[in-house]
Amino acid sequence: FPEYAFIGRSNVGKSSLINMLTGKKGLAMTSQKPGKTLLINHFIINNNWFLVDLPGYGFAQRGKEGRQNIQRIIEDYILEREQLTNLFVLIDCRHEAQKIDLEFMEWLGENGVPFSIIFTKIDKISKGRLQENLKAYQEKLLETWEELPPILLSSSEKKDGREEILDYIDTINKSLKG
Ligand code: GDP
C-alpha cells in the first residue's frame, strides 16, 4: 500500500490533523507538550493507503543526541521507504517562513522526495491574513524553488480541509494504478 507521511515541527497541529483525517480520536494522541510523538506510526485508511505519522523535528530542548537519533529515524524512513508516495510538510499558517522548515524542504528536493505543504490552523487568522501569509510563503519558496509545491489548507478545529486532503491523496492513488 502507498504511504503518505505527515511531518512538521512540534505544536504545528500534526496530531490534531491526523485525528481529523483518521476520524478516530485517540488513535494519535494530541498533547500540549511539544515533541511528545516519538515513533513512526502507521494508520491504514480505506484499506488502500497508509497514513504515516513521523516524529516532529526542530525542538532544541531534547538535546543534541536525542535530536540526532530522531533525525536519523526520520531520514532513514524518508530516503529508504519505497512505499512513501508523498510527504506532507505541515506549516502553521500564522508564522512566517522558518529556516528549519525551508532547509528541510530543500533537503527533500535534493533527494527527489515528492512533498506538499499543509497550512494548519487556518481558523486562527482572518481570510485576508491567510491570503497574505500564503503569498509571502510562496514568495519565500520561490527564492529557492522554480516550481511551487502544492499548498493545502486545514483547520482541525473547524474540520476544514479534510475532504481536500483525502481527495488529493485519492487522486495520487488513482494515478499510481492507472
Ligand atoms: P503537534 O505537536 O504538531 O502534534 O500539535 P497538536 O495537534 O498537539 O496541536 C498543538 C496545539 O494546537 C493544541 O493545543 C491543539 O489544540 C492546537 N491546534 C491544533 N490544530 C488546530 C487548529 O486547526 N485550530 C486551532 N485553533 N488549534 C489547533
Side-chain angles (χ1 to χ4, degrees):
F1 290 145
E3 297 184 357
Y4 294 84
F6 291 72
I7 196 167
R9 293 192 299 147
S10 35
N11 225 34
V12 73
K14 182 168 56 82
S15 305
S16 305
L17 179 69
I18 289 172
N19 280 343
M20 175 172 83
L21 294 174
T22 58
K24 286 173 196 140
K25 279 218 168 231
L27 258 183
M29 301 285 283
T30 64
S31 74
Q32 302 292 336
K33 237 191 199 163
K36 210 182 168 194
T37 313
L38 276 174
L39 301 167
I40 297 179
N41 293 304
H42 283 62
F43 303 91
I44 182 83
I45 312 280
N46 292 334
N47 214 29
N48 69 347
W49 60 274
F50 278 111
L51 185 159
V52 179
D53 184 5
L54 291 179
Y57 56 86
F59 24 93
Q61 63 268 45
R62 195 181 291 281
K64 207 173 171 212
E65 209 170 297
R67 216 159 103 199
Q68 281 175 349
N69 283 335
I70 291 168
Q71 210 65 36
R72 202 171 310 126
I73 296 168
I74 298 171
E75 288 180 10
D76 283 354
Y77 173 83
I78 293 172
L79 297 180
E80 283 160 32
R81 189 74 174 172
E82 268 179 43
Q83 296 94 321
L84 178 62
T85 304
N86 192 64
L87 191 62
F88 291 100
V89 179
L90 275 54
I91 303 288
D92 189 321
C93 74
R94 295 170 296 172
H95 303 158
E96 55 183 83
Q98 306 282 308
K99 196 165 173 247
I100 186 157
D101 296 320
L102 296 170
E103 284 179 354
F104 177 69
M105 289 187 267
E106 278 172 39
W107 178 80
L108 293 176
E110 284 161 11
N111 286 286
V113 179
F115 71 95
S116 321
I117 292 172
I118 298 180
F119 256 33
T120 62
K121 308 190 188 182
I122 60 165
D123 62 285
K124 290 225 180 203
I125 53 174
S126 69
K127 288 225 165 80
R129 189 66 205 277
L130 177 62
Q131 287 313 314
E132 280 172 27
N133 289 5
L134 259 175
K135 194 160 169 264
Y137 210 93
Q138 286 169 331
E139 274 167 14
K140 190 77 195 170
L141 287 169
L142 285 172
E143 287 175 14
T144 35
W145 295 85
E146 277 175 37
E147 221 179 304
L148 286 172
I151 303 183
L152 306 174
L153 307 174
S154 83
S155 162
S156 309
E157 188 76 21
K158 294 273 191 292
K159 304 278 172 274
D160 273 346
R162 185 177 190 272
E163 293 312 310
E164 286 81 357
I165 295 167
L166 293 176
D167 284 351
Y168 182 86
I169 291 169
D170 268 352
T171 303
I172 301 175
N173 278 337
K174 283 191 183 115
S175 75
L176 294 176
K177 280 177 190 155

